Amino acid sequence: MRKLLALSTLLLLSGVVSAQEAGYTVNCSSTPLLFPKQMLSTDPENVDVTTDHSEGSEGNYLLTGNASLNTTEYYLSADNIKLNKATKTSSAKGNVKFQGKDIMLTGDSVVIKKQDNKILHTAFEQANYHYPKAKINGQAAKIVDSGNKQTFDLMSYSLCPIGNTDWQMKADKVTLDTKANLGVAENVTVEFMGIPIFYSPHHEWTLKGRSSGFLAPSMGDYTESDASASKGYQIRVPYYFNITTDRDFLLTLNHISTRGSVVEGKYRQLLDKGRIEIEGHYLDKDKIKKDNRWLLNTKLDLSLNDKTELSVITNRVSDRDYLKEIAHKNTDEISLMSSVNMAYDDKIKNITGGVFAEKEQLLSGDAEYTRAGEIFLNKKVGGVGKREANFSIITTQFEHKNANTTNKKEGSRRHIQADFSRHIETNAYSIEPKFTVSKTHYAMKSDANQDRSIYSFGIDSKLLLERNTSLFGKSLIQTLTPRLAYNYTPGKDQSALQNFDSEYMGESYENLFSGKKFTGLDRISKTNDVVIGLESSFIDKNTGETYLTLKIAQAHHLSDTTMQLDGTLVTQNKRSNIAAGADITLDKFTFKNAIQYDTYTKSVARSNTTLSYVLNPRKFISLTHENDAGKRTAGVYGAYPISRKVHLFAGVNRSLSDSITNRKTVGFAYGSCCWAIRVAHFDEYTSAGIHDKVTKFELVLKGLASSDSALATRLEKEIPNYLVDLEK
């Protein structure tokens, strides 16, 4: 019986309405049962029988009046129960109640036939069924299980509590043939609040594995992100093709009222040692731009052997405004990157290597250097006493869309480097000396070749102290870690070397101790610094939770000069900015702050602050503020329940420097025990005076499908701390 309903309801659902697994859970604090739960027998040899009256002869028995059978497998009660010992058949009529280990049923009548102590055939009339753990319930005029085939007449299915039919799925007839691995449903309808929202006259699907079928459509409206400010609506209707167990295809008709209809397809296939994905969109004759517009994304991940991985990624669009105008996606991307990467990793021999190449499609802003080809190899050698040596070589060919313009010269770079380090640690202290030597060769297309040889030396030391203390009435362990480091790199003018990939790192706490000023390999700054720092943490003795962490550090420059990004040496101050940070977590309250304080101007050069009060993921507020060298932005994010079923959510990110609201998100959601709706409006600044405005609507039938699962993904990015899953 459990097999009967498990296969029928769950597989019918996944095949007809939501061909891809939804992965939802239902959150209902308490739900009624069909009848009070019974304790099954613990005696495998005998059947517990109770009845007001019994009669029988020659293996035939009739139980009447509060009759019941209780075995280790099931409980059965009814007004009348007939037992035929010869055919091993039980039949019951009148107020029938059946309980298995995972299922409960009631009905007018049932026939149960057993063979070898296993249920072989069952037939229920006018049945109500209920899975208490999964909270699945429904009705059927007749349920028949003949072993390899199960049939349902006039069936319904829902995950709403018993007695609640806010949404339900209905079918005139469902046949499940487990031997043929085939399911067939006739006249399938999904109803929401009594209104049909989905219908299929005939549907077939495989019982094991995913099935082909329509997925839930999604809809929304938007405002064109150009001067016209035209308003439109969008309807997406997806159909899922389950080709084989290792490949599928999703075909979607995306109708955009102001632009036209976009045909979207996504093909996925599992390989023996990898997978491939191909996604394509095509819009024939945009109504506004009069051009054909398209998108192509591909991804191949393949294990060539146990040490070598291959990844090929393609991301292309017909024009730089496609994502903004057609896809209505978050437009933070300034470029789309396509790449080929083959990586080698021999963990036994400690050898890594690879080949990499990339190509850029610019969407906005200025082009960057791309690595047209790169080969790298690294060998790690371990020694006694935690000594370690790393030897690496990396050769890169750089290209630029604006080649041969000022400072945009193409060429190749070969960098050879050896790192030597040792980690010494006791319970009281740790010391880590390191020495690096490198040689870099530049072969330029239009300039003379250049070489650079340079070395670096550093030592980082810590005292490891701790004590028992208390804070806010809690017994804690306080760690105190004074930290002292010295880093030295001789000064060399590198202004003749092309800068392909180096940028300022910023004077954060960890960057000060690294002895590095730039990312990449083109700039290795002159350094002669003593760095002094202090760290302290307060940790709960019982839980290990850290309540408070404090950090502060400053570098003292022993040299009067340092290097700029252009490679020239310039004078510098005697000390760096002070880098400090504080992280506090107290129950529902969190505070995180990182600052860089300029002691000469007595002002904050950079800072990043987050203040949050989170009672739960649907009742919280977060404030953020960032100061990036004078460019200041602030954010407010939160959610608030105005009742048990309705909550509001919002997020605003605004540039304080130029008084522009970068992104604004507002919306509300209503959730009952078995369904939910959500409406969200996104307003994103794209360029001077132009905003991309989109309103999305989502209907979730819990346990069945969501009309727009992509909405949750975007909200997760736009509103930190917000629980986007409407099932919870």
Side-chain angles (χ1 to χ4, degrees), residues 397-653:
Q397 179 70 39
F398 289 96
E399 292 184 352
H400 198 283
K401 289 185 176 295
N402 301 320
N404 300 320
T405 61
T406 305
N407 297 325
K408 303 299 181 186
K409 300 173 182 178
E410 297 181 327
S412 65
R413 180 188 67 202
R414 182 177 68 248
H415 183 81
I416 303 173
Q417 182 169 309
D419 299 284
F420 304 91
S421 64
R422 182 183 181 185
H423 188 72
I424 305 168
E425 185 172 4
T426 69
N427 292 332
Y429 64 87
S430 71
I431 301 175
E432 185 172 3
K434 56 185 178 181
F435 177 76
T436 300
V437 59
S438 65
K439 182 176 180 63
T440 311
H441 174 74
Y442 291 82
M444 306 302 296
K445 288 185 177 181
S446 57
D447 286 352
N449 296 347
Q450 296 286 337
D451 290 281
R452 177 192 62 197
S453 298
I454 201 166
Y455 69 92
S456 299
F457 168 78
I459 184 168
D460 191 358
S461 62
K462 299 179 181 179
L463 286 178
L464 309 176
L465 308 173
E466 66 177 47
R467 64 166 184 153
N468 295 323
T469 187
S470 62
L471 185 67
F472 305 113
K474 298 182 181 292
S475 296
L476 307 174
I477 296 175
Q478 180 191 5
T479 64
L480 187 65
T481 309
R483 189 171 179 182
L484 179 66
Y486 174 72
N487 295 294
Y488 176 79
T489 303
K492 287 193 175 182
D493 188 308
Q494 299 169 35
S495 58
L497 304 181
Q498 183 63 37
N499 183 8
F500 293 122
D501 60 4
S502 287
E503 296 288 346
Y504 283 111
M505 290 178 62
E507 295 180 317
S508 68
Y509 181 86
E510 290 299 333
N511 288 348
L512 288 180
F513 284 97
S514 71
K516 297 180 180 179
K517 189 175 180 180
F518 304 104
T519 62
L521 300 174
D522 295 311
R523 298 292 181 262
I524 301 178
S525 178
K526 177 181 180 180
T527 306
N528 189 11
D529 296 345
V530 174
V531 187
I532 302 172
L534 183 65
E535 307 172 23
S536 183
S537 295
F538 293 81
I539 305 169
D540 191 298
K541 282 185 177 181
N542 299 320
T543 65
E545 182 180 356
T546 300
Y547 293 110
L548 174 63
T549 298
L550 302 171
K551 294 181 178 181
I552 187 169
Q554 186 177 37
H556 294 263
H557 307 309
L558 305 182
S559 174
D560 294 333
T561 59
T562 188
M563 182 185 295
Q564 294 190 118
L565 190 59
D566 63 4
T568 60
L569 297 175
V570 296
T571 59
Q572 67 174 341
N573 295 323
K574 289 295 184 181
R575 55 186 182 272
S576 71
N577 293 336
I578 294 176
D583 293 348
I584 302 173
T585 301
L586 294 174
D587 195 21
K588 308 297 183 181
F589 172 86
T590 60
F591 173 78
K592 295 183 178 181
N593 179 246
I595 67 169
Q596 297 174 34
Y597 182 77
D598 190 331
T599 58
Y600 291 94
T601 63
K602 301 188 185 308
S603 63
V604 175
R606 285 180 170 82
S607 66
N608 196 317
T609 304
T610 300
L611 176 64
S612 299
Y613 184 71
V614 182
L615 288 172
N616 61 63
R618 298 274 167 77
K619 190 176 184 179
F620 72 91
I621 185 169
S622 296
L623 308 176
T624 66
H625 181 271
E626 182 178 1
N627 178 6
D628 186 8
K631 184 178 181 181
R632 297 181 299 121
T633 58
V636 181
Y637 311 94
Y640 187 79
I642 60 177
S643 71
R644 290 186 59 190
K645 296 184 177 181
V646 180
H647 70 268
L648 310 176
F649 55 86
V652 178
N653 180 279

Side-chain angles (χ1 to χ4, degrees), residues 230 254 506:
S230 300
N254 180 11

Side-chain angles (χ1 to χ4, degrees), residues 236 682 696 698 706-716:
R236 301 181 77 254
F682 303 95
K696 295 285 189 177
E698 181 182 17
S706 165
S707 64
D708 192 352
S709 58
L711 176 57
T713 302
R714 182 163 184 179
L715 285 173
E716 195 169 44

